[in-house]
Amino acid sequence: MANSKFEYVKQFEQPDNLLPNTWVVVRVDGRGFTKFAYKYGFEKPNDKRALELMNAAARAVMAELPDITIAYGVSDEYSFVFHKTCSLFERRSSKLVSTIASTFTAYYVYFWSTYFPDTPLSPPLPSFDGRAVCYPAVQNLRDYMSWRQVDCHINNLYNTTFWALISLGGMDATEAEKTLKGTYAADKNEILFSRFGINYNNESEMCKKGSVVFRDYELVEPGALNITTEVDSLPEPVEQSKTQAENDRKRRAKARIVVEHLDIIKDEFWDQRPWLLSNKPGKIPKEPKVD
Amino acid sequence: MANSKFEYVKQFEQPDNLLPNTWVVVRVDGRGFTKFAYKYGFEKPNDKRALELMNAAARAVMAELPDITIAYGVSDEYSFVFHKTCSLFERRSSKLVSTIASTFTAYYVYFWSTYFPDTPLSPPLPSFDGRAVCYPAVQNLRDYMSWRQVDCHINNLYNTTFWALISLGGMDATEAEKTLKGTYAADKNEILFSRFGINYNNESEMCKKGSVVFRDYELVEPGALNITTEVDSLPEPVEQSKTQAENDRKRRAKARIVVEHLDIIKDEFWDQRPWLLSNKPGKIPKEPKVD
Amino acid sequence: MANSKFEYVKQFEQPDNLLPNTWVVVRVDGRGFTKFAYKYGFEKPNDKRALELMNAAARAVMAELPDITIAYGVSDEYSFVFHKTCSLFERRSSKLVSTIASTFTAYYVYFWSTYFPDTPLSPPLPSFDGRAVCYPAVQNLRDYMSWRQVDCHINNLYNTTFWALISLGGMDATEAEKTLKGTYAADKNEILFSRFGINYNNESEMCKKGSVVFRDYELVEPGALNITTEVDSLPEPVEQSKTQAENDRKRRAKARIVVEHLDIIKDEFWDQRPWLLSNKPGKIPKEPKVD
Amino acid sequence: MANSKFEYVKQFEQPDNLLPNTWVVVRVDGRGFTKFAYKYGFEKPNDKRALELMNAAARAVMAELPDITIAYGVSDEYSFVFHKTCSLFERRSSKLVSTIASTFTAYYVYFWSTYFPDTPLSPPLPSFDGRAVCYPAVQNLRDYMSWRQVDCHINNLYNTTFWALISLGGMDATEAEKTLKGTYAADKNEILFSRFGINYNNESEMCKKGSVVFRDYELVEPGALNITTEVDSLPEPVEQSKTQAENDRKRRAKARIVVEHLDIIKDEFWDQRPWLLSNKPGKIPKEPKVD
């Protein structure tokens, strides 16, 4: 039985390769996580187990896909950044997005029992949708990352105050919402401090800043070079010798993938870690920190 | 801290809504499953546990996404068909593809221990990539489904003979490959029968035909109407009354999702189950078969 | 000087092939034609010379591109329909759109002096932008055509009444607009008849119905077959013998391209001219009408 | 007659906005210009009238579309570059491409009689197809421009030698082709010089280098700044005051649009004319050169 009669259907596949020389950000978002969080009794405003499970899944994704240079997560979302020279799957959007969403989900389900040992998963299971966006310039990429981190800050300050009003202040949701309507950051800080003695600055860094995941090398003295400018002006993947590519691969494999809670808006973060934008592995620290 | 400064990055998101009034097929494929199958000792040429795990995951996907009208799976791939009137996620390709890939993966990992109780999963975990393709006419869709089923047949006959030559005939892979080079289906049937006494027709239906997943209603006498013609000429979603939509939703929820191993190339399969193409739920059988 | 160093830039070209087995409508619209019409003193509400120039350009486009089966024009816009089996330029959207826009413009400029012998063109010259849209089912395509013709009717009735109020009724634009605000078709017919003795039905067919351009063959007795159904169920281009293709080409080349002002909303127009949807040339009339 | 019944067809329009912050190159190519050149007796290897007609059309296009910063033409093709901050037509690809192709064609037909006064146009008329490509970095854009100019050089050297062998050397096309097969640039220069006494360097600049079209301001001392770096690192359109925008508009309108035949591969061309990449109008020269 020859298959040629039906093979014409392959013509309906439409290419979706992303524009070369642009940064590709794949973001996954939890589907229906409000309901999901309720089902498994996530703590409010932040459930540390849930955030750490997200981070564990993100780390595993990065370990399986070395083309990812950095990832940033907050709440039930995670953004993965492919370097602008990346040619994985010929940059086909649906392959990149589905692979990330699938791998992330696999680890989320797999690690669940580690972080929630007492509440086993049951259908409907957690799942994540995803999308890919291209950013042409380093500044566009950094502005995307900043946008997510500012969003984290705004939401976390709001949620922290909202839940303080409820759990410590005895309000119901409607009253708390009304109290916060039209308030600025300073007002919320003030409410937390004056009513509940909470200094927002002392809240956990993971909740305030979100989580950044990257391969860790020795920090570089800032100011040594302008990494943004250098990287933007690279028109295409630099042809590497096989030896060089192999060396890079090995160094990348040796590097620890860390989860940190740092300010990624300021230049310092990027200047000290030029490998995030250059995609050239840095120096492996002599005494790796204990995991 | 206002977020407006960075929000311009949202402009880089590009819409990917699929053409209305076309059938959307989302296919997921196992990533690196040759290696994966080897790691977990999948039986050759077919591992029934692995196929049944795929089917269980596919069934769960259909239960969570009622917009899917039919699915077809073979080996490590599964195709899910959204009706041409479907407006889920505004038909955004990346949302549809990532949701299917993620949900399928969640259940694959979740059900693993049911089908492989003695070999627990360990990283790297199984994952699936996906893509969406639009088919304008019913005949295009059916030809796609036929293409996959013919592929199943061709591969399964080849693999069955190949592994018979090895495990029963004592050949190594190179000899088996050489023996099969240039042979037709009839030759392979002959090899199986004359050398090993195997009648290919008696092989399992799941292996020969793959698996079809759909909601089960009472079969319809074929010939009562020409479903293809009727469905093709519908230009857009028929406006339903709320009561009608609610009734349909309920009937769909009541229907059993079955996994069968049938010929989906011939008209009979489609003529007897007009709901697959019309998207109108059929009659719930009075005495549902025991699962 | 080898060119290989720079050739990588070709990788940035992104494919834009339109989905197979769908009807492609390319519509061109005059750019800034309000100003353009004013510059050359177009008559209000309709300038017959301008409309006939549009029609002449559209006819020339169809003569140069036999893949177009029908075109419909009104005011400063023209829609060209490629049959769903068309594979011109591999269905690349930008090639189809730019070729139509360019060819249409070439003839518009070229024929200008025929229709406006006393007012030679001067920069800025007339130009047209374009876009392509795919329609999967015959009914979608016909609904698109109906949409344009209904639009023609609505606009022409409005404009006819508006300009009657001004040129015959002595109103200024603001008064005329106010008079027409909230009126229905019946009201406008009444205004035309009772105030100015104009029976809208007697207005020119070109203005009321727009212009349809197509290859003319002998009309077919309606009812002989259901062309919509037959055409929708064709999954892909029928493989033709070379002789058959050559015969079709010749018959198409012999057919007169006519400009008519007919109702294209009702079935009759399409039933009598099955070649418009089937793409099979009809019978050349024995005694062609004199052009 | 309400139109709402048919308006659903608008949903089939699919957005095609090009990625922000990328350079958009729209290239138009003559359709069937080998045949067209033959019909109107274009001189070989280059017809100066035909090239100057192309240049006149390109200049007119730039005058009508101030968003174009530079254009480059050779033979029957012309590339138009929109600045990466351009938001014309919301960057919709089909609008940009069709507008350029249409406007270019309008002027080509309109100016024809100026450059070919003795051979009036007749159908089939000249037409141009087009496509749009995005380039993220300045270096990508410059490499695109270099690619076209190197192509110009390679083709022109070949054609010059080919036609010398025929018209001066008495060969037929087959002999000339055979003679040139496998030759390098140096070989062709040698053939021209030793056989026909032609020094290729003395050929016309327009034929050797193609034509660059741009707004002319006072040249800038190279080295004052690194324009590429500065421009690449701009993430998005700089918010301008209304006064500033208006000033820019006026200065741009005042600037002469010139056609030159310069080397656009080397840095010098771009360093001396920073406005081409920055999109900030330069100084209007006090004594504009006579056109």
Side-chain angles (χ1 to χ4, degrees), chain C residues 1-3 5-10 12-14 16 27 31 64-65 89 92-95 97-99 101-103 105-111 121-136 139-144 146-148 150-154 185 265, chain D residues 1-3 5-10 12-14 16 27 31 64-65 89 92-95 97-99 101-103 105-111 121-136 139-144 146-148 150-154 185 265:
Chain C
M1 193 178 344
N3 210 345
K5 185 185 162 190
F6 301 124
E7 272 182 353
Y8 81 92
V9 298
K10 285 199 272 186
F12 291 77
E13 293 174 21
Q14 300 198 286
D16 64 347
R27 185 167 85 227
R31 297 184 57 234
E64 291 208 6
L65 293 155
F89 306 140
R92 283 155 62 194
S93 178
S94 56
K95 289 270 276 184
V97 170
S98 57
T99 296
S102 170
T103 308
T105 305
Y107 282 96
Y108 193 92
V109 172
Y110 179 77
F111 285 140
L121 275 180
S122 64
L125 299 182
S127 63
F128 297 83
D129 60 38
R131 84 222 55 200
V133 182
C134 293
Y135 292 105
Q139 195 57 52
N140 298 138
L141 172 69
R142 282 192 49 190
D143 286 347
Y144 171 82
S146 298
W147 176 49
R148 301 322 303 142
V150 171
D151 221 49
C152 166
H153 169 76
I154 290 171
I265 300 175
Chain D
M1 187 174 351
N3 210 346
K5 185 185 162 190
F6 301 123
E7 273 182 353
Y8 81 91
V9 297
K10 285 199 273 185
F12 290 78
E13 294 174 20
Q14 300 198 287
D16 64 348
R27 185 167 84 227
R31 296 185 58 235
E64 290 208 6
L65 293 155
F89 307 140
R92 283 156 62 194
S93 178
S94 56
K95 288 271 275 184
V97 170
S98 58
T99 296
S102 170
T103 308
T105 305
Y107 283 96
Y108 193 92
V109 171
Y110 180 76
F111 285 140
L121 275 180
S122 63
L125 298 182
S127 63
F128 296 83
D129 60 38
R131 84 221 55 200
V133 182
C134 293
Y135 293 105
Q139 194 58 52
N140 298 139
L141 172 69
R142 283 192 48 190
D143 286 347
Y144 172 82
S146 298
W147 176 49
R148 300 322 303 143
V150 171
D151 221 49
C152 166
H153 169 76
I154 290 170
I265 301 175

Side-chain angles (χ1 to χ4, degrees), chain B residues 157 161 184-198 200:
Chain B
L157 177 56
T161 320
Y184 292 100
D187 305 322
K188 298 191 190 77
N189 276 301
E190 180 59 24
I191 290 172
L192 283 172
F193 193 71
S194 62
R195 298 207 199 172
F196 310 113
I198 295 172
Y200 183 71

Side-chain angles (χ1 to χ4, degrees), chain C residues 189-205:
Chain C
N189 276 302
E190 180 59 23
I191 289 172
L192 283 172
F193 193 70
S194 61
R195 296 205 199 174
F196 310 113
I198 295 171
N199 184 340
Y200 182 72
N201 287 333
N202 297 339
E203 292 294 294
S204 100
E205 291 298 305

Side-chain angles (χ1 to χ4, degrees), chain B residues 105-144:
Chain B
T105 305
Y107 283 97
Y108 193 92
V109 172
Y110 179 77
F111 285 140
W112 175 268
S113 61
T114 308
Y115 293 90
F116 291 88
D118 305 324
T119 44
L121 274 180
S122 64
L125 298 182
S127 63
F128 297 82
D129 60 37
R131 84 222 55 200
V133 182
C134 293
Y135 293 104
V138 167
Q139 195 57 52
N140 299 137
L141 172 68
R142 283 192 48 192
D143 286 347
Y144 170 83

Side-chain angles (χ1 to χ4, degrees), chain C residues 23 83 217-222 224-228 230-231 268-282:
Chain C
W23 300 87
H83 194 264
Y217 305 100
E218 274 187 17
L219 293 188
V220 163
E221 200 59 39
L225 53 85
N226 187 332
I227 183 66
T228 297
E230 193 187 300
V231 167
E268 194 191 25
F269 173 80
W270 303 92
D271 287 344
Q272 289 185 331
R273 296 168 186 85
W275 63 85
L276 296 175
L277 296 175
S278 72
N279 213 26
K280 293 178 208 145

Side-chain angles (χ1 to χ4, degrees), chain B residues 70 72 81 141-149 264 270:
Chain B
I70 186 170
Y72 176 75
V81 180
L141 172 68
R142 283 192 48 192
D143 286 347
Y144 170 83
M145 302 295 268
S146 298
W147 176 49
R148 300 323 303 143
Q149 193 166 49
I264 58 173
W270 304 91

